[in-house]
Amino acid sequence: MKEPILELSHVSKTFYSSKTGEIPAVSDVDLDVSEGECVGIVGESGCGKSTIARMITRITDVTEGKILLEGQDITKVEERDLKKIYKKIQMVFQDPYSVFSPRMQVGTFLEEGLVFFGISSRSQARKEAETLLHMVELSPELLDRFPHELSGGQLQRVVIGRAISMEPRLIILDEATSALDVSVQKQVLKLLVKLQKRLGLTYLFIGHDLAVVRSISHRIVIMYAGIVVEEIQSERIEQAAAHPYTRKLLESVFSVHDREKKKIVLETLTMQDSGYERQGCPYQKRCPFVYDRCKTEKPDLVDYGNGHKVRCFYFE
Amino acid sequence: MEIIRADHVSITYDGIKNAVNDVSFSVEKGQIIGIVGESGSGKSTILHGIQGLLPRTSARKGTISLFGKSIDDMSAAELKNIRGRDVAMIFQDTGRYMNPISRIGKQYTSFLKLHEKKSHAELVALEKEMLKRVHLEDADRILHSYPFELSGGMRQRVGIAMAMSLRPRLLLADEPTSALDVTVQAQVIYEMMELRKKYGTTIIFVTHSMGVAAYMSDIIGVMQSGRLVEWGKTEDVISSPREEYTKSLLGSIIELRDERLITTI
């Protein structure tokens, strides 16, 4: 087993609101990512997956816990030293347009980072930017273009290009292909895999589409209501996933092939189905297998070997 | 019975010439039609065109008929009466089309009053009945809530309940499940399928998800830069598409049963 590049231990984030009090957005999350690996985080909106990304990049502070990047606890790094971390961790967001200044040409966008972090001199930066475009399979002609002249897919490739130009230890991809059309999405995913293999990159891939996350990840972490409910090798997810919520996610995927076979199990929605239970398992209200015990005790994340961890009494 | 007929319809809209380009199709009563395509292919524009809801700055060629009558031959009053009563529409995020500072019950009632001459109490009873039918619990509480107090999935169910309150003959849905979480998406799809089962509602919906289209529809239409390039029975379109474009769309889908990209590249 290689040393993990990233290690989260007992990380929690609590938001406070005057109306509802404490909101535990992320509770006691342990997570590790090794060199050259792609770990996927899957969950629905509000499950805390983006909050995790924001804590790793220090956009948001942790409430509790440690985040180790190559052994160094980045939650303790002083503000003035953050620049060093920003170089090591790069992030790609869902909407590439939001990353650009509308008046900044693609070339300038790529050169800026290279010069700022001292990766290349101002005179060499142009050449370097050209190489980067080549790596993300775009024509060097795009260097002089403005963001609105590029398609969403092209722009996301530029953002990926800038991310790899930092020679980062970790790239966080937060719904990085979710806004793209299907044909473009697949192309960008392929590019990410190629770059990973060629450059030995390490990814944390956050998404809501289980099929997509499975396709690009070696391991998948499934989150519900701020808690990791299951962790599994991605090739085994369909056969071996055990948590009722993971099974529910698998059932909810619509494939073009299961037209007639598929049965939808109906759930009644109430106004208190948030999952942020004070007591017991967060999934208890939606779970078809709920015991008395699930309503009073919080299950632990139990390691069943082979990289498979499940947080569920029913499975124990 | 023919519910909709589009004859060589072209629409220039938002400065885009032929956002919809020479599109013809016909929809029978009780059919569920899924229109798929990528962003900018004109699939939403078609839905708006059917309702006669395009902005004044747009221009349409060709004819659209609803229930056997061209919408150009209908008076403004006739068209207004059809919308909401005979033709209902749900959007990607129903919440965005609600008044954020008005309680859901109030908005619901004022919508019903446009078309129904019933007492307030009767209308509220209908609202509760409809909310129950889309499997929302505590209807009282929902009617007293503001849109932002509900989750996206709940708002979308409210949207379906509202749209179906007047038993429309035709439901138009523009990406009805795209903004929803995957587990909730399945629920909303279920509710829409129930409508046809119970009331024989004809449904035309637009989606970018081939999986959803395949699951729900009898007929799939594929749009590419304004053109309806393929139109056929769902089984046929999925298993033996005629058009290269449809093939490439199908080839781009990432499915759970596929080999993973990390092992194939």
Side-chain angles (χ1 to χ4, degrees), chain A residues 58 73-83 85:
Chain A
R58 282 288 299 265
D73 186 353
I74 59 168
T75 64
K76 300 271 182 342
V77 173
E78 299 282 334
E79 202 127 325
R80 62 185 135 81
D81 297 324
L82 280 180
K83 189 176 163 185
I85 294 175

Side-chain angles (χ1 to χ4, degrees), chain A residues 2-39:
Chain A
K2 284 184 230 169
E3 267 300 288
I5 286 209
L6 178 77
E7 209 177 343
L8 272 66
S9 84
H10 305 294
V11 169
S12 298
K13 176 71 191 180
T14 309
F15 291 109
Y16 298 92
S17 116
S18 53
K19 200 176 167 193
T20 45
E22 292 185 3
I23 302 159
V26 172
S27 313
D28 199 19
V29 167
D30 290 330
L31 180 79
D32 60 276
V33 186
S34 302
E35 183 153 25
E37 192 183 25
C38 177
V39 173

Side-chain angles (χ1 to χ4, degrees), chain A residues 36-136:
Chain A
E37 192 183 25
C38 177
V39 173
I41 302 183
V42 182
E44 297 180 286
S45 50
C47 75
K49 56 193 193 301
S50 291
T51 304
I52 287 184
R54 295 169 66 87
M55 288 190 287
I56 299 170
T57 46
R58 282 288 299 265
I59 299 171
T60 305
D61 285 327
V62 298
T63 307
E64 263 174 80
K66 279 188 207 160
I67 298 176
L68 304 178
L69 181 73
E70 300 187 296
Q72 184 196 13
D73 186 353
I74 59 168
T75 64
K76 300 271 182 342
V77 173
E78 299 282 334
E79 202 127 325
R80 62 185 135 81
D81 297 324
L82 280 180
K83 189 176 163 185
K84 286 178 204 145
I85 294 175
Y86 289 152
K87 185 178 170 301
K88 287 187 188 169
I89 303 177
Q90 286 292 305
M91 192 151 168
V92 178
F93 298 94
Q94 178 166 357
D95 177 13
Y97 290 94
S98 67
V99 177
F100 284 83
S101 157
R103 293 190 296 179
M104 189 184 260
Q105 288 166 334
V106 165
T108 323
F109 176 79
L110 290 169
E111 290 163 34
E112 188 190 43
L114 292 169
V115 174
F116 181 75
F117 285 105
I119 294 162
S120 66
S121 66
R122 202 165 275 284
S123 54
Q124 279 174 340
R126 190 76 180 177
K127 191 89 203 112
E128 192 67 27
E130 220 169 277
T131 316
L132 286 169
L133 280 189
H134 182 72
M135 285 173 84
V136 295

Side-chain angles (χ1 to χ4, degrees), chain B residues 195-228:
Chain B
L195 294 177
R196 179 192 35 198
K197 220 191 252 172
K198 283 187 191 148
Y199 310 117
T201 315
T202 309
I203 300 173
I204 303 183
F205 71 101
V206 156
T207 179
H208 66 275
S209 162
M210 269 285 187
V212 171
Y215 182 74
M216 279 185 70
S217 39
D218 308 310
I219 285 174
I220 287 184
V222 181
M223 290 202 65
Q224 181 196 15
S225 29
R227 289 188 178 275
L228 186 61

Side-chain angles (χ1 to χ4, degrees), chain A residues 19 38 43-45 181-186 189-191 193-194 196-197 208-212 214-218 234-235 237-238 245 248-250 252-260 262-273 286, chain B residues 37-39 135-138 141-142 145 148-151 153-154 157 181-187 189-191 208-218 234-235 238 248-263 265:
Chain A
K19 200 176 167 193
C38 177
E44 297 180 286
S45 50
D181 277 329
V182 279
S183 55
V184 182
Q185 164 170 276
K186 191 163 189 181
L189 287 169
K190 280 185 178 169
L191 172 71
V193 175
K194 276 188 236 165
Q196 177 169 48
K197 296 208 165 154
H208 69 282
D209 185 328
L210 194 50
V212 167
R214 172 189 165 276
S215 189
I216 189 170
S217 308
H218 300 94
S234 72
E235 70 214 13
I237 189 156
E238 263 199 294
Y245 178 63
K248 180 91 200 169
L249 282 180
L250 284 164
S252 302
V253 175
F254 284 85
S255 155
V256 294
H257 304 289
D258 56 16
R259 188 163 143 65
E260 256 111 55
K262 194 179 185 72
K263 287 272 173 291
I264 296 175
V265 182
L266 196 65
E267 283 183 85
T268 298
L269 294 186
T270 66
M271 288 190 70
Q272 305 90 5
D273 61 354
R286 292 176 66 185
Chain B
E38 304 200 319
S39 46
H135 302 91
L136 285 171
E137 268 185 7
D138 36 49
R141 209 168 144 186
I142 289 171
S145 303
F148 73 87
E149 293 179 281
L150 270 54
S151 69
M154 291 173 78
R157 285 189 187 191
D181 278 329
V182 283
T183 61
V184 183
Q185 163 172 287
Q187 307 289 308
I189 287 171
Y190 178 90
E191 306 293 358
H208 66 275
S209 162
M210 269 285 187
V212 171
Y215 182 74
M216 279 185 70
S217 39
D218 308 310
T234 301
E235 310 74 280
I238 298 295
S248 84
L249 265 189
L250 285 165
S252 303
I253 306 172
I254 292 171
E255 298 250 15
L256 277 174
R257 64 179 205 175
D258 293 345
E259 280 272 359
R260 293 172 304 155
L261 288 172
I262 45 168
T263 55
I265 289 174

